[in-house]
Amino acid sequence: MNVGIDLISFYTPQYFLGLNVLAQERGVDPDKFTIGIGQEKMAIPPPDEDIVTMAASAAHPILEKVGRENIELLLFATESGIDQSKAAAMFLHGLLKLPARCRAVELKQACYGATAGLHLAAAAVAARPGIKALIVGSDIARYDLRSPGEPTQGAGAVAMLVTVNPRVLALDPETGLYAEDVMDFWRPNYRDEALVDGKYSMRIYLAALEECWKQYAALTGRKFHDIARYCYHLPFTRMAEKAHIRLAKFAALKELTGEELETEIGDSLRYNRITGNTYSASLYEGLTSLLDHAAEDLSGQRIGLFSYGSGCMGEYFSGVAQPDYRQHLFTTAHRAMLDGRTALTYRQYEDIFQLGFPTDGGDHAFAQYRTGPYRLAGVSQHKRLYERIA
Ligand code: CAA
């Protein structure tokens, strides 16, 4: 019995800052951002959008297509939590009008959370094949202004429906895992911006990749060339290029040509390059990007996935693209959403960044910006108020 991703949908805010604009403002050569870290634009959520509205907007097309019946598990992965007690999954459950018979929780392990969700969901669905699970990764990547992390900010969400006999990607059961208690990137409860030891985080990412691949290869007997396309956690696209070059050397003693690098990972980078880091969603944004862009039909081909969450947790796993998977993608909607975005000026970006969230317990209605079908209408007596607008 196959278990895996039946449908996958991606959402990113309607506003972005061009990294050429940021480079000019910071007095940096724009090539450092576009070539050195490999990013062009970073998505900026307006004040009436948060992880819950992004998650709802990502999940909306899936529910429009298949309805809500038998969704008995809702897992919300995020490292941009909005409440210390109530799970973002409960807000999402309400907004999406999911069945009352549903197990809904929030998961956290930096950018790895959605991968934990995916595998927990696959196990739950395999045990009870009649049920479906909805997994969402939704995050806002936020670093201090003028810090090295600033150009790697971004925002977005990915929703995945996990079922038996999936139409998009059947998961292989074997995975390579690596856990180690390290301080490469973290965000204490009293801070809105992440702290990071940037170069160290890159080294740990690559070390975790090697450990995870070693286990995955031993468990499956698969070699580097048994995988047709590779997806990586994407803090920025250059990181995936470094990772793939490293893996080819480590796993196959191979120096990749530029053409091989482009064939094997190029399509998976296209969305991230224009949204920035989406933390828990980013690996699955990469998978969506690959499936939406691949000129070749990948049906029956194996896709390798490396998930990394600082702190740190790594996992190497794979799946096989299903026959006719292209008929079940939301490619047209993704393209329309990305093509319709509005560029911000530097001043608008900094104004939104500095806005802050009302904490006085009063009643605050939020101005309406362009969002997906759900928005954060305001806050009243410390309670977030959401609304559906389309
Ligand atoms: N033209 C072309 N390239 C240029 C250039 C120019 N004018 N100027 C610099 N570059 C290159 C540099 O040579 C460098 O490339 P290499 O890494 O190949 O040497 C690259 O641009 C970046 O330059 P710096 O190393 O000087 O950059 P920095 O010190 O300002 O910061 C960073 C880079 C550490 C990634 C920083 O953006 C950061 O801290 N980001 C957040 C942390 C992060 O994303 N870590 C990734 C692993 S952890 C993870 O994956 C979890 C997560 O999501 C956060």
Side-chain angles (χ1 to χ4, degrees):
M1 180 179 58
N2 279 338
V3 179
I5 301 172
D6 187 54
L7 292 172
I8 182 165
S9 163
F10 161 61
Y11 176 79
T12 192
Q14 291 300 296
Y15 301 90
F16 69 87
L17 182 71
L19 289 189
N20 54 346
V21 176
L22 185 66
Q24 192 176 11
E25 188 68 27
R26 297 286 176 256
V28 169
D29 179 352
D31 286 354
K32 173 172 176 183
F33 296 162
T34 53
I35 299 170
I37 65 168
Q39 296 302 110
E40 269 173 45
K41 297 171 180 173
M42 56 192 198
I44 309 290
D48 60 340
E49 195 146 63
D50 68 4
I51 52 160
V52 172
T53 64
M54 291 195 301
S57 296
H60 182 77
I62 293 180
L63 299 183
E64 290 285 287
K65 202 162 174 169
V66 299
R68 290 150 176 80
E69 214 183 329
N70 297 332
I71 297 183
E72 283 199 17
L73 183 62
L74 174 64
L75 299 175
F76 194 130
T78 188
E79 52 184 301
S80 325
I82 52 165
D83 195 289
Q84 297 281 36
S85 176
K86 179 171 172 173
M90 298 319 307
F91 293 100
L92 184 62
H93 181 275
L95 265 185
L96 297 178
K97 299 191 182 349
L98 291 177
R101 182 179 163 75
C102 183
R103 183 174 281 133
V105 288
E106 185 173 314
L107 299 173
K108 178 173 67 183
Q109 192 350 77
C111 306
Y112 170 77
T115 300
L118 180 61
H119 292 295
L120 291 170
V125 166
R128 292 188 46 234
I131 69 165
K132 297 173 179 173
L134 185 63
I135 316 307
V136 185
S138 182
D139 268 307
I140 299 169
R142 189 176 155 98
Y143 297 89
D144 285 320
L145 295 177
R146 298 171 187 82
S147 69
E150 185 185 28
T152 69
Q153 295 177 117
V158 170
M160 296 178 276
L161 191 70
V162 175
T163 65
V164 292
N165 304 320
R167 289 173 285 180
V168 172
L169 190 80
L171 292 172
D172 293 318
E174 308 86 355
T175 76
L177 292 165
Y178 183 74
E180 187 185 355
D181 179 4
V182 292
M183 292 301 279
D184 59 331
F185 166 105
W186 66 106
R187 184 169 68 83
N189 285 346
Y190 49 81
R191 281 184 62 94
D192 288 333
E193 291 79 33
L195 297 167
V196 62
D197 187 340
K199 300 287 181 201
Y200 178 54
S201 72
M202 294 170 69
R203 284 200 304 277
I204 297 277
Y205 176 120
L206 295 173
L209 169 63
E210 286 188 1
E211 290 302 319
C212 292
W213 173 269
K214 230 185 320 185
Q215 275 179 34
Y216 171 84
L219 286 169
T220 60
R222 286 187 199 113
K223 307 262 186 287
F224 185 73
H225 61 254
D226 291 326
I227 291 184
R229 296 288 189 282
Y230 294 78
C231 296
Y232 291 88
H233 165 57
L234 294 169
F236 47 93
T237 64
R238 185 82 186 109
M239 185 74 228
E241 290 172 1
K242 283 177 188 284
H244 196 55
I245 289 166
R246 174 82 161 252
L247 187 65
K249 253 189 216 147
F250 177 74
L253 303 175
K254 190 172 161 54
E255 294 283 348
L256 289 176
T257 63
E259 199 180 325
E260 286 168 327
L261 190 63
E262 176 57 25
T263 304
E264 289 165 13
I265 67 168
D267 285 330
S268 73
L269 309 182
R270 303 201 196 291
Y271 286 161
N272 178 274
R273 198 175 162 84
I274 55 171
T275 66
N277 197 351
T278 55
Y279 287 165
S280 62
S282 96
L283 171 63
Y284 303 97
E285 177 186 352
L287 174 63
T288 312
S289 179
L290 166 64
L291 298 173
D292 282 355
H293 289 96
E296 184 190 338
D297 181 357
L298 298 176
S299 299
Q301 305 223 45
R302 181 159 273 110
I303 297 171
L305 297 111
F306 176 60
S307 182
Y308 177 77
S310 288
C312 79
M313 185 68 225
E315 182 157 359
Y316 204 94
F317 63 106
S318 57
V320 176
Q322 294 301 285
D324 299 325
Y325 73 90
R326 291 204 269 202
Q327 288 173 25
H328 307 293
L329 302 177
F330 297 100
T331 309
T332 309
H334 293 150
R335 294 223 170 110
M337 170 182 71
L338 288 161
D339 290 348
R341 296 190 301 168
T342 303
L344 298 178
T345 63
Y346 177 80
R347 177 54 35 214
Q348 288 169 324
Y349 153 67
E350 192 168 332
D351 285 350
I352 291 175
F353 188 97
Q354 304 282 17
L355 200 60
F357 194 81
T359 56
D360 61 1
D363 295 337
H364 302 271
F366 292 172
Q368 186 159 1
Y369 290 77
R370 287 177 57 221
T371 62
Y374 300 88
R375 67 180 289 270
L376 177 60
V379 59
S380 171
Q381 297 169 56
H382 299 294
K383 295 175 191 159
R384 286 182 189 237
L385 306 172
Y386 294 101
E387 65 182 7
R388 181 170 170 181
I389 54 167

